[in-house]
Amino acid sequence: MYLFMLLLTLASCAPESTRVDGFQIPEIVYPKDNPSSDAKIELGRRLFFEKALSIDSSISCGSCHKPALSFADSVALSDGVMGRKPFRNTPSIINAGFLPYFMMEGGVKSLELQVLAPLQDHNEMALHVFEACKRLNADSSYSRQFDLVWGDSATPFTLTRSIASFERELIIFNSAFDKYLEGDSLALSESARRGKDLFYSDRTDCSSCHTGRLLTNFEIKNNGLAKVYEDKGLFRLTTKDEDAGKFKIPSLRNVKHTAPYMHDGSLTSLKAVLNHYNRGGMGHPNQDPLVRPLDLSENEVEDLIAFLRSL
Ligand code: HEC
Ligand code: HEC
């Protein structure tokens, strides 16, 4: 079901590579069929933390997307139901409302549709959406709340739209880097400022991929993490060899809270990430040419880490 849905909604239009594209805070675009309201967000919040939405009532969305960790998790693979594991690292969903598409190969087009993936995934919550609605409608406090917000019961439509409305409100733009961009030049330490200059330089080209206020240009690239990819990323959708090992370029906002890193959580620290880029990647045939040996000194690596921690 999950793969089928990804295939149905194959992302089409990643923008061409751009250099630093200005730092405006982007606008949230609300879908026409899902305008926001406080009551809907409140219902979505309740559902996001509702364990009854997993087959054995053990796991909620918030069990993996932990609020204290920028709605990410601290382990490479989070716990799904009955000791099962999802096959990827749990990403932060802060500011997810700004993303043009979802999942690491970009195959899901809206937050609303995305809700069905973890809910029904065998390794995550493993509950059919109809069963989820049945459970909610059997609970009088939920059925009252759905009726108040939607004038309707819990259905796949109202359930997915309520949760997406909550997620769309998870917006944070108050990091040290944000303060710096807004004119407080002392919000970044000297080391972080040196790191920033490196990040936005031809020496590293980090900002060719991680750009704008969200630190991503939304493209899907191979950053040379592995020589052989167990999880082939975009290839799963297109089955083209040239797409093997390509993953969505993630936002780096809040990155100090979201270790471990990369699609498989294989890099445990920002130091390990910088070592990866400094080494120039593992040399996969699809590795992007921007990833190449950088010859950064220990101090330069520390400066880049200080900058990443300011995001
Ligand atoms: C068992 C852990 C787990 C649970 C439970 C879980 N997620 Fe996730 N979530 C993940 C993982 C892993 C991914 C990455 C999946 C991928 O890209 O293939 C993800 C991806 C996402 C994304 C896409 C983020 C992006 O940048 O593309 C959103 C949004 C999301 N989850 C929301 C939810 C919601 C809503 C629920 C509850 C209905 C939920 N998750 C339940 C682990 C979990
Ligand atoms: C060619 C585009 C590209 C360039 C250049 C690039 N990255 Fe990345 N970056 C990616 C992709 C793609 C991923 C995700 C890979 C994965 O999930 O396996 C990523 C992941 C990361 C992550 C992990 C984020 C997370 O939440 O897991 C960090 C941190 C990061 N990059 C920092 C940097 C820094 C610092 C530089 C410059 C030294 C840089 N990147 C250069 C494409 C790029």
Side-chain angles (χ1 to χ4, degrees), residues 231-259:
D231 174 352
K232 291 193 164 36
L234 184 59
F235 175 91
R236 296 173 68 236
L237 290 187
T238 64
T239 67
K240 289 190 193 146
D241 287 337
E242 73 216 45
D243 290 335
K246 290 190 180 169
F247 293 88
K248 183 167 71 179
I249 298 171
S251 169
L252 301 183
R253 297 187 59 87
N254 304 302
V255 77
K256 79 169 173 184
H257 302 293
T258 65

Side-chain angles (χ1 to χ4, degrees), residues 165-190:
S165 290
F166 167 64
E167 293 178 285
R168 218 166 256 121
E169 298 304 312
L170 301 174
I171 300 172
I172 302 185
F173 286 103
N174 66 353
S175 66
F177 185 54
D178 292 313
K179 291 182 185 130
Y180 176 86
L181 289 175
E182 281 150 20
D184 178 1
S185 58
L186 297 179
L188 296 189
S189 67
E190 271 180 45

